């Protein structure tokens, strides 16, 4: 504005020129500010969009991780169930094997042995890797297998084979009598 002082111009024209210069300057500043604000808004929008995209990606990754964790937990449950089933089958097999062994020692009759085996297996269980005797309700007892055998012999004598001895030197009869002549 100092250059206006060196040129002789009417005060009114100086005033108009000063206003026009101020107007142009204000307009240029406003445009520049608007451009800068617009750029900042654009950058802000871009950053917000990136943030939202990253948030969505994180949520998707979290959901996938959660789904994978749930899938693995289900698989582990299935495996645990299979292991439990297998352990139960092994326990049942051991109990049945012991019951069959004891039953076959009590009778040679296969039908009687099956009945005894069923009865014995109801009273046996596997505990800490050992066959244990239970009472009628399935509760552990201090009884031994021999005690259980005695109980079965007393309760079901008709299923137990008798001693097959023929006596002190006795001979078997042949089912016929011989006549003296």
């Amino acid at each position: 504005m100092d250059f206006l002082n060196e040129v002789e111009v009417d005060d009114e024209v100086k005033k108009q020129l000063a206003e026009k210069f101020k107007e142009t300057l204000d307009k240029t500043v406003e445009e520049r500010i608007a451009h800068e604000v617009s750029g900042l808004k654009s950058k802000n929008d871009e950053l917000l969009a990136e943030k939202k995209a990253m948030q969505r990606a994180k949520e998707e990754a979290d959901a996938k991780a959660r789904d994978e964790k749930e899938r693995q937990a289900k698989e582990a449950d299935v495996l645990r169930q299979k292991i439990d089933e297998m352990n139960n089958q092994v326990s049942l097999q051991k109990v049945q094997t012991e019951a069959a062994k004891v039953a076959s020692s009590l009778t040679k009759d296969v039908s009687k042995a099956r009945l005894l085996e069923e009865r014995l297996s109801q009273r046996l269980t596997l505990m800490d890797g050992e066959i244990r005797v239970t009472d009628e309700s399935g509760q552990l007892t201090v009884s031994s297998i021999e005690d259980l055998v005695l109980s079965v012999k007393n309760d079901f004598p008709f299923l137990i084979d008798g001693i097959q001895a023929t006596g002190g030197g006795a001979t078997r009869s042949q089912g016929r009598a011989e006549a003296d002549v």
Side-chain angles (χ1 to χ4, degrees):
M1 297 270 274
D2 286 336
F3 69 92
L4 290 177
N5 289 335
E6 291 176 13
V7 176
E8 284 194 35
V9 178
D10 185 25
D11 283 342
E12 186 59 36
V13 170
K14 283 184 182 177
K15 188 176 174 187
Q16 286 177 351
L17 282 173
E19 284 178 11
K20 192 70 169 166
F21 179 77
K22 186 176 182 304
E23 235 177 73
T24 303
L25 181 64
D26 287 347
K27 185 177 177 184
T28 303
V29 169
E30 282 179 26
E31 286 175 359
R32 191 169 278 278
I33 288 174
H35 178 71
E36 290 294 321
V37 167
S38 173
L40 289 173
K41 282 182 181 179
S42 172
K43 189 64 173 175
N44 188 35
D45 291 344
E46 180 183 326
L47 291 172
L48 283 174
E50 284 180 21
K51 180 184 175 194
K52 286 179 183 178
M54 289 173 58
Q55 184 66 27
R56 272 193 305 275
K58 180 186 179 301
E59 288 170 359
E60 288 173 8
D62 289 347
K64 283 181 183 178
R66 188 174 46 253
D67 291 347
E68 180 64 17
K69 206 174 202 180
E70 288 174 7
R71 185 189 64 76
Q72 288 176 352
K74 286 178 185 177
E75 284 180 6
D77 285 344
V78 167
L79 287 175
R80 269 189 232 109
Q81 287 175 349
K82 285 182 181 179
I83 289 170
D84 288 345
E85 286 173 16
M86 291 171 64
N87 286 339
N88 289 338
Q89 288 174 351
V90 167
S91 295
L92 182 61
Q93 185 63 40
K94 286 182 179 182
V95 166
Q96 287 176 337
T97 300
E98 183 67 21
K101 184 176 95 177
V102 172
S104 66
S105 74
L106 297 174
T107 184
K108 301 294 181 223
D109 184 305
V110 175
S111 297
K112 289 179 181 180
R114 276 194 212 120
L115 290 171
L116 287 169
E117 179 183 338
E118 184 178 320
R119 178 69 183 150
L120 290 165
S121 64
Q122 291 173 354
R123 296 279 311 276
L124 296 175
T125 189
L126 188 67
M127 179 70 69
D128 298 329
E130 293 182 28
I131 301 289
R132 304 281 174 99
V133 178
T134 62
D135 61 16
E136 294 291 330
S137 66
Q139 299 297 315
L140 284 176
T141 66
V142 293
S143 301
S144 66
I145 292 178
E146 292 78 22
D147 295 334
L148 178 60
V149 168
L150 288 175
S151 172
V152 168
K153 282 181 178 180
N154 288 332
D155 293 345
F156 305 100
F158 53 90
L159 295 176
I160 310 298
D161 288 348
I163 298 175
Q164 300 296 323
T166 55
T171 59
R172 296 190 129 177
S173 72
Q174 299 297 322
R176 60 176 192 230
E178 298 200 16
D180 285 335
V181 181

